[in-house]
Amino acid sequence: MRKKELFEKVIQYFKETMPVAETELVYKNPFHLIVAVILSAQCTDKRVNQITPDLLKRYPTPEKMAEAELAEVFEYIKSCSYPNNKAKHLVGMARKLMELFDGQVPDDVVELQKLPGVGRKTANVIASVVFNKPALAVDTHVFRVAARIGLTTNAKTPLATELQLMKYIPVELVPKAHHWLILHGRYTCVARKPKCEKCGLTDICRYYLRLTK
C-alpha cells in the first residue's frame, strides 16, 4: 500500500472512531497549560491534573510564579517525577516569560523554546492546543504508534517522526492528529502489549501484519 493511501485510511478511521480528540490535561489559559505540559514529562496526565489545582491556586500567573521560592514549588509538585528539575523549570519559565514576553505565552514554536523546560515537543503542544497551529508534538506514544502502523519508516528520532508525519497529514488536521495518535497509544496501542483485538487498523497495520504472518 502506498504511504499516501495508508495515511488516508488511518485518518478516516480516526475521524469515525475518535471525532473528538483533545488533550486530557486540565487548563484554563495558555500559562496554565504550559505549566501542566512541563509537569507531564514522564508523568501521567492524571497525576498532573491532581497537582495543578493547588499549584496554580498559589501561583495563578507568571508574575506570581516568577517570585516563587523553588522549595515551595517543590512541595506542591513533589508527587510527580523529577520534582527538583521541574520546580527549576517552572520558576525559570515564569521569569523568562516575564522578561521576554511581558507575561504572555507566545504562539510561535521557536519563541516558546526560549523558555526553560520547553523543548520542541512542549512548544508544539502549546502552539497546537492553545493556538490551533499545525504543530505536531511527538511524544513516546506518537513515536511508537506511527512506527507500528507504518506511518513512519526508519524514523530514529522524534524530529524525524514529526517530519515524516507532517508530509502526509493535511495541515488543518495536524492539531487533531496529534491527539489521535497519543490517545490511540495511551489506550489501545500500548507499549508492552498492544490491544490489537480492540483496534480497527489491524488490516493495514505493519506491526500486526508482521505479527500474524
Side-chain angles (χ1 to χ4, degrees):
M1 183 185 299
R2 289 167 54 242
K3 188 64 71 79
K4 184 173 183 289
E5 184 183 356
L6 175 63
F7 270 83
E8 288 172 351
K9 286 181 177 293
V10 170
I11 288 170
Q12 188 57 41
Y13 171 75
F14 284 130
K15 278 184 175 180
E16 294 172 2
T17 61
M18 212 186 298
V20 177
E22 54 195 15
T23 183
E24 294 184 312
L25 292 170
V26 177
Y27 70 99
K28 293 180 179 178
N29 56 51
F31 174 68
H32 287 193
L33 181 61
I34 203 168
V35 168
V37 176
I38 287 174
L39 288 173
S40 73
Q42 295 181 291
C43 186
T44 65
D45 287 2
K46 182 179 180 180
R47 170 63 62 186
V48 173
N49 290 337
Q50 292 171 344
I51 292 170
T52 50
D54 287 343
L55 175 68
L56 291 170
K57 184 178 180 181
R58 176 68 178 85
Y59 309 109
T61 64
E63 294 93 328
K64 293 291 186 183
M65 190 167 284
E67 297 169 353
E69 295 289 336
L70 290 180
E72 189 175 358
V73 173
F74 173 88
E75 286 301 314
Y76 282 98
I77 69 170
K78 62 185 178 183
S79 64
C80 78
S81 56
Y82 307 106
N84 279 309
N85 282 340
K86 288 178 181 178
K88 293 175 186 175
H89 288 329
L90 289 174
V91 174
M93 175 273 294
R95 289 174 179 171
K96 191 63 74 171
L97 204 53
M98 294 303 301
E99 177 189 335
L100 297 180
F101 305 109
D102 197 28
Q104 300 299 308
V105 176
D107 63 359
D108 181 76
V109 169
V110 174
E111 295 291 281
L112 281 162
Q113 288 180 79
K114 294 178 181 178
L115 303 172
V118 179
R120 185 177 182 87
K121 183 190 79 172
T122 298
N124 280 346
V125 170
I126 303 303
S128 171
V129 173
V130 176
F131 302 106
N132 202 38
K133 297 234 174 165
L136 200 153
V138 177
D139 68 354
T140 56
H141 296 304
V142 174
F143 188 84
R144 178 179 70 255
V145 170
R148 277 183 177 168
I149 294 173
L151 298 176
T152 57
T153 304
N154 296 323
K156 305 296 185 187
T157 65
L159 180 58
T161 295
E162 178 187 335
L163 294 175
Q164 288 190 34
L165 292 174
M166 290 292 289
K167 186 176 179 181
Y168 291 98
I169 297 174
V171 171
E172 69 277 9
L173 289 179
V174 169
K176 182 173 278 191
H178 161 70
H179 296 298
W180 281 337
L181 295 171
I182 283 179
L183 295 172
H184 189 63
R186 188 172 287 165
Y187 298 110
T188 304
C189 193
V190 294
R192 292 189 178 180
K193 192 176 180 183
K195 301 172 184 178
C196 298
E197 70 280 1
K198 295 183 178 181
C199 180
L201 292 171
T202 51
D203 59 328
I204 57 173
C205 173
R206 181 169 59 193
Y207 173 87
Y208 184 79
L209 294 174
R210 286 176 178 173
L211 199 67
T212 54
K213 271 187 178 180

